[in-house]
Amino acid sequence: MQETTINHARLAEVDLNLLVALDAISSSGSVTKAASKLRINQSSLSHQLGRLRELFGDELFVRNGAGMSPTPRGATIVKTASEILRHIDRDLLNAIAFSPAETNRVFKLGIPDYLESVLVPPLARFCLEAAPHARLELHSLEHQKATDMLDRGEIDVAVGNVSEGGLVHKRKVLFDDNYVCLHSLALLEKVPSITFETYFELPHVAVDLKEKACRLVDDTLEQKKLSRKIVVSTPHAHALPALLESLAAIATVPRLFGRSAAKAHGLAVSPLPFPVAPFQISVVWHASSHVDPGMIWFRGAIADVARSLP
Protein backbone atom coordinates (compact mmCIF):
# COMPACT_ATOMS: atom_id res chain seq x y z
CA MET A 1 0.00 0.00 0.00
CA GLN A 2 1.39 3.38 -0.97
CA GLU A 3 2.06 5.65 2.00
CA THR A 4 0.10 8.92 1.98
CA THR A 5 2.26 12.01 2.26
CA ILE A 6 1.24 14.31 5.11
CA ASN A 7 0.38 17.85 4.01
CA HIS A 8 1.93 19.65 6.95
CA ALA A 9 1.07 23.12 5.68
CA ARG A 10 -2.62 22.25 5.46
CA LEU A 11 -2.66 20.52 8.86
CA ALA A 12 -0.98 23.53 10.45
CA GLU A 13 -4.15 25.48 9.68
CA VAL A 14 -6.27 23.10 11.79
CA ASP A 15 -6.60 24.06 15.46
CA LEU A 16 -6.66 20.95 17.65
CA ASN A 17 -9.14 22.75 19.89
CA LEU A 18 -11.65 22.56 17.03
CA LEU A 19 -11.54 18.76 17.12
CA VAL A 20 -12.00 18.88 20.90
CA ALA A 21 -15.02 21.14 20.42
CA LEU A 22 -16.42 18.82 17.74
CA ASP A 23 -16.14 15.77 20.01
CA ALA A 24 -17.61 17.63 22.99
CA ILE A 25 -20.67 18.76 21.01
CA SER A 26 -21.20 15.25 19.66
CA SER A 27 -20.96 13.56 23.07
CA SER A 28 -23.08 16.22 24.81
CA GLY A 29 -25.69 16.68 22.05
CA SER A 30 -25.82 20.36 22.90
CA VAL A 31 -23.65 23.44 22.46
CA THR A 32 -24.65 24.64 25.92
CA LYS A 33 -23.69 21.38 27.65
CA ALA A 34 -20.49 21.08 25.61
CA ALA A 35 -19.46 24.63 26.55
CA SER A 36 -19.98 23.77 30.22
CA LYS A 37 -17.87 20.61 29.85
CA LEU A 38 -15.08 22.58 28.19
CA ARG A 39 -15.41 25.45 30.71
CA ILE A 40 -15.85 28.10 28.05
CA ASN A 41 -18.79 30.36 27.29
CA GLN A 42 -21.45 29.33 24.78
CA SER A 43 -20.65 32.09 22.30
CA SER A 44 -17.00 30.95 22.05
CA LEU A 45 -18.06 27.38 21.31
CA SER A 46 -20.64 28.58 18.77
CA HIS A 47 -17.81 30.48 17.06
CA GLN A 48 -15.68 27.30 16.98
CA LEU A 49 -18.60 25.37 15.48
CA GLY A 50 -18.85 28.01 12.79
CA ARG A 51 -15.15 27.56 11.98
CA LEU A 52 -15.64 23.79 11.82
CA ARG A 53 -18.56 24.15 9.40
CA GLU A 54 -16.45 26.40 7.20
CA LEU A 55 -13.45 24.07 7.38
CA PHE A 56 -15.39 20.93 6.37
CA GLY A 57 -18.01 22.57 4.15
CA ASP A 58 -20.87 20.92 6.02
CA GLU A 59 -23.38 21.81 8.74
CA LEU A 60 -21.99 18.94 10.82
CA PHE A 61 -24.85 19.17 13.36
CA VAL A 62 -28.55 19.93 12.99
CA ARG A 63 -31.11 20.62 15.67
CA ASN A 64 -33.15 17.62 16.70
CA GLY A 65 -35.75 18.44 19.33
CA ALA A 66 -33.96 19.75 22.42
CA GLY A 67 -30.52 18.72 21.21
CA MET A 68 -28.28 18.40 18.18
CA SER A 69 -27.47 15.36 16.05
CA PRO A 70 -24.69 14.98 13.47
CA THR A 71 -25.25 15.05 9.74
CA PRO A 72 -24.06 11.95 7.84
CA ARG A 73 -20.79 13.67 6.96
CA GLY A 74 -20.60 15.11 10.47
CA ALA A 75 -20.89 11.61 11.99
CA THR A 76 -17.96 10.39 9.87
CA ILE A 77 -15.82 13.37 10.84
CA VAL A 78 -16.72 13.03 14.53
CA LYS A 79 -15.71 9.35 14.50
CA THR A 80 -12.29 10.15 13.01
CA ALA A 81 -11.76 13.14 15.31
CA SER A 82 -12.64 11.05 18.38
CA GLU A 83 -10.10 8.38 17.41
CA ILE A 84 -7.42 11.04 16.96
CA LEU A 85 -8.17 12.58 20.36
CA ARG A 86 -8.16 9.19 22.09
CA HIS A 87 -4.72 8.44 20.61
CA ILE A 88 -3.38 11.80 21.80
CA ASP A 89 -4.86 11.42 25.27
CA ARG A 90 -3.79 7.78 25.72
CA ASP A 91 -0.46 7.60 23.90
CA LEU A 92 0.97 11.10 24.20
CA LEU A 93 -0.42 12.70 27.34
CA ASN A 94 -0.80 9.77 29.72
CA ALA A 95 2.43 8.35 31.12
CA ILE A 96 2.65 4.65 30.40
CA ALA A 97 2.71 2.73 33.68
CA PHE A 98 6.06 1.07 34.33
CA SER A 99 6.65 -1.90 36.59
CA PRO A 100 10.29 -3.02 36.95
CA ALA A 101 9.18 -6.46 38.10
CA GLU A 102 7.13 -7.01 34.92
CA THR A 103 9.07 -5.16 32.24
CA ASN A 104 10.99 -7.00 29.51
CA ARG A 105 12.66 -3.86 28.16
CA VAL A 106 16.24 -3.75 26.95
CA PHE A 107 18.20 -0.98 28.67
CA LYS A 108 21.14 0.11 26.53
CA LEU A 109 24.04 1.58 28.50
CA GLY A 110 27.11 3.21 26.97
CA ILE A 111 30.06 3.03 29.36
CA PRO A 112 33.88 3.15 28.98
CA ASP A 113 35.93 0.02 29.56
CA TYR A 114 37.46 0.98 32.92
CA LEU A 115 34.10 2.04 34.43
CA GLU A 116 32.33 -1.09 33.22
CA SER A 117 34.28 -3.31 35.62
CA VAL A 118 33.44 -1.04 38.57
CA LEU A 119 29.84 0.06 38.00
CA VAL A 120 28.25 -2.72 35.97
CA PRO A 121 28.54 -5.71 38.37
CA PRO A 122 26.52 -4.02 41.16
CA LEU A 123 24.18 -2.48 38.57
CA ALA A 124 23.55 -5.88 36.99
CA ARG A 125 22.76 -7.37 40.41
CA PHE A 126 20.39 -4.50 41.16
CA CYS A 127 18.58 -4.89 37.82
CA LEU A 128 18.36 -8.68 38.08
CA GLU A 129 16.70 -8.40 41.47
CA ALA A 130 14.34 -5.50 40.68
CA ALA A 131 13.66 -6.22 36.99
CA PRO A 132 14.31 -9.94 36.41
CA HIS A 133 12.80 -10.00 32.90
CA ALA A 134 14.71 -6.95 31.61
CA ARG A 135 18.06 -7.05 29.82
CA LEU A 136 21.06 -4.79 30.37
CA GLU A 137 22.86 -4.24 27.05
CA LEU A 138 26.35 -2.72 27.27
CA HIS A 139 28.01 -0.63 24.57
CA SER A 140 31.62 0.55 24.51
CA LEU A 141 31.67 4.32 24.93
CA GLU A 142 34.09 6.96 23.71
CA HIS A 143 33.77 10.46 25.12
CA GLN A 144 33.64 12.13 21.72
CA LYS A 145 30.88 9.87 20.42
CA ALA A 146 28.57 9.70 23.46
CA THR A 147 26.03 12.29 22.38
CA ASP A 148 26.05 11.00 18.79
CA MET A 149 25.23 7.52 20.06
CA LEU A 150 22.38 8.96 22.12
CA ASP A 151 21.08 10.91 19.12
CA ARG A 152 21.07 7.80 16.94
CA GLY A 153 19.33 5.73 19.60
CA GLU A 154 22.24 3.28 19.86
CA ILE A 155 22.22 3.76 23.64
CA ASP A 156 19.64 5.00 26.13
CA VAL A 157 22.10 6.35 28.68
CA ALA A 158 25.80 7.24 28.68
CA VAL A 159 27.94 7.10 31.82
CA GLY A 160 31.43 8.56 31.90
CA ASN A 161 33.37 11.79 31.80
CA VAL A 162 30.78 13.30 29.43
CA SER A 163 30.20 17.00 29.95
CA GLU A 164 29.33 18.36 26.53
CA GLY A 165 26.07 17.99 24.67
CA GLY A 166 23.49 19.92 22.73
CA LEU A 167 20.22 21.38 23.95
CA VAL A 168 18.60 17.97 23.54
CA HIS A 169 20.79 16.26 26.16
CA LYS A 170 20.36 16.05 29.93
CA ARG A 171 23.17 15.45 32.43
CA LYS A 172 23.49 14.54 36.10
CA VAL A 173 26.83 14.31 37.93
CA LEU A 174 27.26 11.00 39.76
CA PHE A 175 30.60 11.50 41.54
CA ASP A 176 34.10 12.96 41.29
CA ASP A 177 37.06 10.69 40.61
CA ASN A 178 40.84 11.14 40.60
CA TYR A 179 43.97 9.11 39.92
CA VAL A 180 46.09 6.55 41.78
CA CYS A 181 49.01 4.30 40.92
CA LEU A 182 48.17 0.62 40.49
CA HIS A 183 51.00 -1.93 40.74
CA SER A 184 51.95 -5.35 42.06
CA LEU A 185 52.73 -5.94 45.72
CA ALA A 186 56.15 -7.21 44.65
CA LEU A 187 57.05 -3.81 43.26
CA LEU A 188 57.22 -2.40 46.78
CA GLU A 189 60.08 -4.79 47.47
CA LYS A 190 62.14 -2.81 44.93
CA VAL A 191 60.97 0.67 45.87
CA PRO A 192 59.56 1.50 49.32
CA SER A 193 57.02 3.94 47.89
CA ILE A 194 55.96 5.64 44.67
CA THR A 195 57.66 9.01 44.98
CA PHE A 196 57.90 11.74 42.38
CA GLU A 197 61.34 10.43 41.38
CA THR A 198 60.46 6.74 41.27
CA TYR A 199 57.31 7.49 39.28
CA PHE A 200 59.47 8.61 36.36
CA GLU A 201 62.15 5.94 36.87
CA LEU A 202 59.77 2.97 36.80
CA PRO A 203 58.28 1.54 33.60
CA HIS A 204 54.59 2.19 32.98
CA VAL A 205 51.69 0.26 31.51
CA ALA A 206 49.33 2.78 29.95
CA VAL A 207 45.64 2.46 29.15
CA ASP A 208 45.37 4.11 25.77
CA LEU A 209 41.70 5.13 25.86
CA LYS A 210 39.96 7.90 23.97
CA GLU A 211 37.96 8.76 27.10
CA LYS A 212 38.84 12.37 27.91
CA ALA A 213 39.44 11.75 31.60
CA CYS A 214 42.12 9.18 30.77
CA ARG A 215 44.20 11.91 29.14
CA LEU A 216 44.36 14.17 32.18
CA VAL A 217 47.58 12.72 33.61
CA ASP A 218 49.56 12.90 30.37
CA ASP A 219 48.18 16.37 29.63
CA THR A 220 49.33 17.52 33.09
CA LEU A 221 52.80 16.04 32.60
CA GLU A 222 53.07 17.55 29.14
CA GLN A 223 52.44 21.01 30.59
CA LYS A 224 55.33 20.40 32.99
CA LYS A 225 57.49 19.08 30.13
CA LEU A 226 57.58 15.64 31.75
CA SER A 227 56.72 12.20 30.37
CA ARG A 228 56.28 8.64 31.60
CA LYS A 229 58.40 5.71 30.46
CA ILE A 230 55.63 3.67 28.84
CA VAL A 231 56.66 0.10 27.98
CA VAL A 232 53.20 -1.30 27.17
CA SER A 233 50.01 0.45 26.10
CA THR A 234 46.64 -1.21 25.75
CA PRO A 235 43.12 0.00 24.92
CA HIS A 236 41.69 -2.53 27.39
CA ALA A 237 41.60 -1.64 31.08
CA HIS A 238 40.76 -5.23 31.99
CA ALA A 239 44.19 -6.30 30.65
CA LEU A 240 46.06 -4.22 33.25
CA PRO A 241 46.01 -6.65 36.23
CA ALA A 242 47.64 -9.50 34.30
CA LEU A 243 50.26 -7.15 32.86
CA LEU A 244 51.08 -5.64 36.25
CA GLU A 245 51.35 -9.08 37.85
CA SER A 246 54.08 -10.00 35.38
CA LEU A 247 55.91 -6.66 35.15
CA ALA A 248 57.63 -4.49 37.73
CA ALA A 249 55.64 -1.56 36.38
CA ILE A 250 52.92 0.83 37.43
CA ALA A 251 49.69 1.98 35.80
CA THR A 252 48.04 5.33 36.46
CA VAL A 253 44.31 4.69 36.67
CA PRO A 254 41.11 6.26 38.02
CA ARG A 255 40.81 5.67 41.77
CA LEU A 256 37.61 3.57 41.72
CA PHE A 257 38.98 1.27 39.04
CA GLY A 258 42.33 0.99 40.83
CA ARG A 259 40.79 0.04 44.17
CA SER A 260 38.48 -2.50 42.52
CA ALA A 261 41.31 -4.09 40.49
CA ALA A 262 43.62 -4.20 43.51
CA LYS A 263 41.01 -6.00 45.60
CA ALA A 264 40.10 -8.49 42.87
CA HIS A 265 43.64 -9.32 41.73
CA GLY A 266 45.82 -8.90 44.81
CA LEU A 267 47.48 -5.70 43.59
CA ALA A 268 48.43 -2.54 45.47
CA VAL A 269 47.33 1.08 45.16
CA SER A 270 49.56 4.06 45.92
CA PRO A 271 48.80 7.80 45.80
CA LEU A 272 49.76 9.67 42.67
CA PRO A 273 52.92 11.66 43.65
CA PHE A 274 51.81 14.90 41.96
CA PRO A 275 48.49 16.74 41.74
CA VAL A 276 46.08 16.16 38.87
CA ALA A 277 42.67 17.82 38.74
CA PRO A 278 39.75 15.51 39.60
CA PHE A 279 37.16 14.75 36.95
CA GLN A 280 33.43 14.15 37.04
CA ILE A 281 31.58 10.98 36.14
CA SER A 282 28.10 11.81 34.87
CA VAL A 283 25.04 10.11 33.49
CA VAL A 284 23.79 11.66 30.24
CA TRP A 285 20.61 10.98 28.29
CA HIS A 286 18.58 12.35 25.38
CA ALA A 287 15.79 14.77 26.26
CA SER A 288 13.30 12.62 24.34
CA SER A 289 13.51 9.99 27.12
CA HIS A 290 13.49 12.47 29.99
CA VAL A 291 9.93 11.66 31.15
CA ASP A 292 9.90 8.01 30.07
CA PRO A 293 9.01 6.12 33.31
CA GLY A 294 11.26 3.19 32.38
CA MET A 295 14.22 5.45 31.69
CA ILE A 296 13.59 7.40 34.90
CA TRP A 297 13.79 4.11 36.80
CA PHE A 298 16.96 3.02 34.95
CA ARG A 299 18.74 6.34 35.53
CA GLY A 300 17.71 6.14 39.19
CA ALA A 301 19.17 2.65 39.43
CA ILE A 302 22.49 3.89 38.02
CA ALA A 303 22.54 6.80 40.49
CA ASP A 304 21.72 4.52 43.44
CA VAL A 305 24.50 2.10 42.51
CA ALA A 306 26.98 4.95 42.00
CA ARG A 307 26.18 6.29 45.49
CA SER A 308 26.87 2.88 46.98
CA LEU A 309 30.40 2.66 45.52
CA PRO A 310 33.19 3.01 48.10
Side-chain angles (χ1 to χ4, degrees):
M1 181 181 293
Q2 185 175 4
E3 184 179 353
T4 303
T5 302
I6 296 175
N7 188 330
H8 294 93
R10 182 172 62 182
L11 288 177
E13 299 174 0
V14 180
D15 186 347
L16 181 62
N17 288 321
L18 295 180
L19 299 186
V20 175
L22 183 72
D23 186 70
I25 294 171
S26 175
S27 60
S28 302
S30 162
V31 171
T32 302
K33 292 179 180 177
S36 177
K37 181 188 291 187
L38 296 173
R39 299 179 182 177
I40 61 176
N41 59 54
Q42 184 174 340
S43 62
S44 295
L45 186 56
S46 295
H47 176 68
Q48 289 181 327
L49 178 56
R51 291 176 62 192
L52 283 162
R53 285 168 168 164
E54 182 180 353
L55 177 66
F56 293 111
D58 189 89
E59 283 296 300
L60 300 178
F61 298 97
V62 294
R63 292 195 177 279
N64 181 13
M68 303 183 73
S69 58
T71 65
R73 176 163 165 74
T76 300
I77 294 172
V78 166
K79 181 180 178 181
T80 301
S82 296
E83 290 175 356
I84 292 170
L85 294 174
R86 277 196 297 272
H87 278 300
I88 292 174
D89 185 48
R90 182 188 65 218
D91 300 335
L92 299 183
L93 300 182
N94 285 340
I96 300 173
F98 175 78
S99 170
E102 298 176 359
T103 188
N104 60 356
R105 289 180 67 166
V106 176
F107 295 98
K108 296 177 288 186
L109 173 64
I111 189 166
D113 184 28
Y114 76 94
L115 264 181
E116 181 177 331
S117 63
V118 176
L119 186 64
V120 171
L123 178 62
R125 289 193 298 270
F126 183 97
C127 291
L128 182 60
E129 182 177 347
H133 307 295
R135 177 156 61 94
L136 180 59
E137 183 178 288
L138 304 178
H139 294 258
S140 181
L141 184 75
E142 294 179 11
H143 165 77
Q144 302 95 324
K145 297 180 180 179
T147 52
D148 289 339
M149 294 175 73
L150 288 166
D151 292 344
R152 292 193 297 266
E154 294 175 7
I155 56 175
D156 300 315
V157 172
V159 172
N161 182 232
V162 184
S163 56
E164 293 84 8
L167 296 176
V168 296
H169 303 111
K170 304 284 186 179
R171 173 177 174 258
K172 176 183 174 67
V173 176
L174 295 176
F175 54 84
D176 288 347
D177 206 352
N178 50 31
Y179 280 93
V180 296
C181 296
L182 180 66
H183 52 85
S184 67
L185 290 169
L187 183 67
L188 295 181
E189 297 175 1
K190 297 185 176 182
V191 292
S193 63
I194 308 298
T195 64
F196 186 85
E197 290 74 18
T198 56
Y199 183 87
F200 294 99
E201 293 171 358
L202 289 168
H204 286 251
V205 176
V207 184
D208 186 18
L209 298 178
K210 295 181 180 179
E211 175 80 2
K212 185 178 69 172
C214 296
R215 291 289 313 163
L216 287 176
V217 171
D218 288 319
D219 289 346
T220 300
L221 293 178
E222 187 175 337
Q223 292 172 7
K224 300 177 181 294
K225 301 186 184 307
L226 297 169
S227 62
R228 299 183 287 167
K229 185 169 69 175
I230 297 174
V231 295
V232 179
S233 63
T234 173
H236 306 295
H238 59 76
L240 284 179
L243 286 168
L244 293 175
E245 287 170 356
S246 62
L247 297 173
I250 60 176
T252 306
V253 297
R255 175 179 53 87
L256 282 177
F257 171 79
R259 291 174 64 177
S260 175
K263 181 179 179 180
H265 299 277
L267 300 173
V269 169
S270 298
L272 193 66
F274 53 87
V276 173
F279 57 94
Q280 292 181 326
I281 298 299
S282 302
V283 55
V284 182
W285 63 96
H286 197 277
S288 61
S289 68
H290 185 59
V291 296
D292 181 323
M295 288 298 112
I296 292 173
W297 174 84
F298 184 50
R299 295 193 300 266
I302 294 171
D304 287 345
V305 169
R307 280 193 292 269
S308 71
L309 295 175

